[in-house]
Amino acid sequence: MTDGQPWLPAPGRVGAVLVTESQRIRDETARVAAAAGLELTVTATLPEAFQLQPAVVLVGSDNTESRAPAGGGLILVGLPGESGEVWEAATRLRASQVAILPAAADWLAERFASLRATGPLGHLLGVMGCSGGSGTSSLSCWLALAAARSGRSTLLIDGDCAGGGLDLALFETGNGVRWEDLGEVNGTLNPDQLAGALPRTRGFAVLSMGGSPASESSILASSTVQSVLDAVRNFYALTIVDLPGGWPWGGPLLPICDEVMVLVPGRLRPITAARSLVQQTQFLPTSVIVRGPLGPGLDPHRVAEMVGRPLVGYLPQLRGVRHAERQGRLLDLGSHRAVQRLTTQALATVPRSTGKARP
């Protein structure tokens, strides 16, 4: 649907996906996409759209689905004369931005053009537990450490507003930007400036929580997230997103991930919870990491089979994790043989993207 050669996004991703059955909304949006040189794909449902792992999802005001994943960065597209219906749909679908076409064509074209110019280069890997306290924060930190050691430009994102600040498990004091400092971001964010402002440790950068949970929650539900993640994708080859466990599954950053690894303790109750969880992540590639100790009659392959997702690896129970976290020395355990084995297996399944390499 473009004039000339369409922009081709990173492997495995499409540029923009529009969810609508309205021919007029489709025509108006396609016209803007063509002018910006961006390829537009049209689907009938939101799950179909998210399965394509698009750079941006647009949804027509005619959509009747009851809700969309929280914080999915949706753009609601409407037409003149239906303002009430547009805002009702935007609220119902949790859209972060609204475009009434053709009046908002210039704004939407600029949004499309920014995607075409930079491209979503990096890969976002979500790490999520089937309940609070599963150990996902530790695993996220160890994956970031292993990725940095392998030569990838790596960012670790704290996605849990109630976690108290992931950076405190890595270093006692970390000077640099946190989520609370990004609340006023509006529009395009310079990737180099963001990367230069983030604290770093052992070769990777960290974007942490640590301010007011209420204000940070509102930031994650705003258009700020899209600006930040556009910059992140353009700079870092791999971003590890530490997602909160429990309901609502994964929080508002879940839908922006390219894939999710679910950490499942090898016992019956967590397995049951994980089976419910993966039903909510059908729009994303999802795999399982099993954590010890294992219940009677269970092994990692059996646990993954019961959850219904492929097995990535097994992490045995480790001593001293909580103490190391309290002391800000969690990364010291990243050299443990079992941790190294698991992180190597996990990263081997993650595509190597082309974010800007930095020292």
Side-chain angles (χ1 to χ4, degrees):
M1 294 186 180
T2 60
D3 295 328
Q5 186 68 27
W7 165 64
L8 298 178
R13 297 178 62 87
V14 298
V17 174
L18 170 66
V19 183
T20 187
E21 294 183 358
S22 165
Q23 187 63 46
R24 187 179 173 193
I25 290 176
R26 177 173 180 164
D27 291 344
E28 292 285 354
T29 308
R31 189 175 296 113
V32 177
L38 186 73
E39 185 176 21
L40 180 68
T41 302
V42 179
T43 68
T45 68
L46 282 166
E48 289 178 296
F50 280 111
Q51 283 177 353
L52 295 173
Q53 301 182 47
V56 62
V57 176
L58 305 100
V59 58
S61 56
D62 63 307
N63 188 281
T64 59
E65 293 177 77
S66 60
R67 62 192 300 168
L74 299 179
I75 299 176
L76 197 289
V77 180
L79 300 170
E82 56 176 23
S83 58
E85 293 87 343
V86 167
W87 292 108
E88 184 277 331
T91 300
R92 171 169 44 83
L93 295 169
R94 303 173 180 174
S96 60
Q97 295 169 312
V98 172
I100 306 296
L101 297 180
D106 289 344
W107 172 84
L108 187 58
E110 182 180 351
R111 179 82 175 87
F112 284 163
S114 67
L115 291 171
R116 184 176 184 273
T118 60
L121 302 178
H123 189 82
L124 268 66
L125 169 63
V127 181
M128 180 169 52
C130 53
S131 62
S134 295
T136 54
S137 293
S138 301
L139 177 58
S140 298
C141 294
W142 295 332
L143 284 169
L145 176 63
R149 286 175 172 173
S150 73
R152 304 191 201 199
S153 55
T154 304
L155 170 66
L156 174 62
I157 288 184
D158 185 354
D160 187 356
C161 299
L166 186 60
D167 55 348
L168 298 180
L170 305 175
F171 33 71
E172 292 184 2
T173 58
N175 296 322
V177 166
R178 286 182 168 191
W179 273 115
E180 62 179 340
D181 302 311
L182 299 173
E184 301 301 319
V185 170
N186 187 19
T188 303
L189 182 62
N190 185 295
D192 296 87
Q193 289 182 349
L194 174 63
L198 293 173
R200 294 177 59 84
T201 182
R202 305 205 192 183
F204 64 91
V206 183
L207 176 55
S208 182
M209 300 290 180
S212 163
S215 65
E216 289 173 336
S217 179
S218 66
I219 291 173
L220 294 188
S222 73
S223 59
T224 294
V225 168
Q226 194 62 55
S227 298
V228 171
L229 294 176
D230 284 347
V232 164
R233 286 192 184 278
N234 192 43
F235 193 95
Y236 295 100
L238 179 61
T239 298
I240 310 292
V241 186
D242 177 31
L243 300 167
W247 182 262
W249 299 122
L253 293 184
L254 171 62
I256 55 84
C257 295
D258 298 315
E259 64 173 302
V260 177
M261 292 182 182
V262 180
L263 183 60
V264 183
R267 298 182 300 279
L268 290 180
R269 287 187 64 187
I271 292 170
T272 301
R275 287 164 60 181
S276 298
L277 184 156
V278 298
Q279 296 303 312
Q280 307 299 317
T281 62
Q282 291 184 8
F283 58 89
L284 288 174
T286 304
S287 54
V288 167
I289 294 175
V290 178
R291 196 201 76 186
L294 296 169
L298 295 175
D299 60 59
H301 293 281
R302 175 59 177 155
V303 172
E305 180 182 353
M306 293 172 69
V307 174
R309 291 296 184 271
L311 178 68
V312 170
Y314 173 66
L315 180 66
Q317 186 176 34
L318 302 177
R319 295 181 179 179
V321 175
R322 292 186 181 276
H323 179 72
E325 183 175 344
R326 287 195 297 267
Q327 297 295 317
R329 297 187 296 102
L330 186 60
L331 293 180
D332 291 347
L333 294 178
S335 298
H336 191 287
R337 182 177 300 176
V339 173
Q340 288 186 329
R341 183 188 311 115
L342 172 64
T343 54
T344 298
Q345 291 172 339
L347 293 176
T349 69
V350 176
R352 277 193 171 269
S353 301
T354 55
K356 296 181 181 178
R358 287 295 185 272

